[in-house]
Amino acid sequence: MRVDLVALVVDDYDPAIEFFVGVLGFDLVEDSPSLTNDGRPKRWVVVRPPGAETGILLARADGERQSAAVGNQVAGRVGFFLRVDDFDAAYGRMTAAGVEFVTVPRAEPYGRVAVFLDVAGNRWDLLGPA
């Protein structure tokens, strides 16, 4: 048993793909036409860090309720965790690419960490070895 996908509600597909693939370096695993449950067109867009098993389904907000969740998937908490082998390299690359970090890097018992915002405004931990 494993978690295959986690949905992330976004405003639109293409800016989200650009952020996750172009900025963070994730792989675009799938971008296929699909239909909503009531037959309207949508896309099935999956991104995944290189070598990872679990992917992120980029789901375009559909309606007011979902639009209100964009950037607030987990009520303002850090809800996503990106672990890297080389913290300094990842932090430098992400900063140079314009990723907004809301904390400076710090050392914790579990490793180095800095909080950044994704394209929708959700908080992520960038995590590296101690």
Side-chain angles (χ1 to χ4, degrees):
M1 184 181 321
R2 64 185 168 93
V3 174
D4 187 45
L5 294 172
V6 175
L8 184 67
V9 182
V10 297
D11 285 321
D12 202 1
Y13 300 111
D14 293 326
I17 291 169
E18 173 54 32
F19 179 81
F20 284 99
V21 175
V23 174
L24 294 187
F26 285 26
D27 295 328
L28 179 60
V29 177
E30 187 172 359
D31 185 354
S32 303
S34 188
L35 297 173
T36 63
N37 291 335
D38 60 0
R40 291 174 290 121
K42 69 174 186 177
R43 288 160 61 185
W44 183 262
V45 178
V46 177
V47 296
R48 183 181 303 137
E53 288 190 27
T54 301
I56 299 172
L57 174 69
L58 300 176
R60 185 183 62 202
D62 185 14
E64 289 180 28
R65 183 173 181 208
Q66 290 181 23
S67 291
V70 173
N72 196 26
Q73 296 269 161
V74 291
R77 292 186 58 109
V78 171
F80 307 95
F81 304 84
L82 181 60
R83 181 156 304 271
V84 296
D85 293 330
D86 186 336
F87 182 89
D88 290 328
Y91 180 80
R93 183 178 48 76
M94 291 168 65
T95 301
V99 173
E100 181 181 353
F101 280 86
V102 297
T103 67
V104 297
R106 66 184 189 277
E108 295 289 346
Y110 51 84
R112 296 192 59 207
V113 62
V115 178
F116 70 94
L117 302 179
D118 69 18
V119 66
N122 296 296
R123 292 174 173 259
W124 288 66
D125 272 355
L126 176 65
L127 297 165

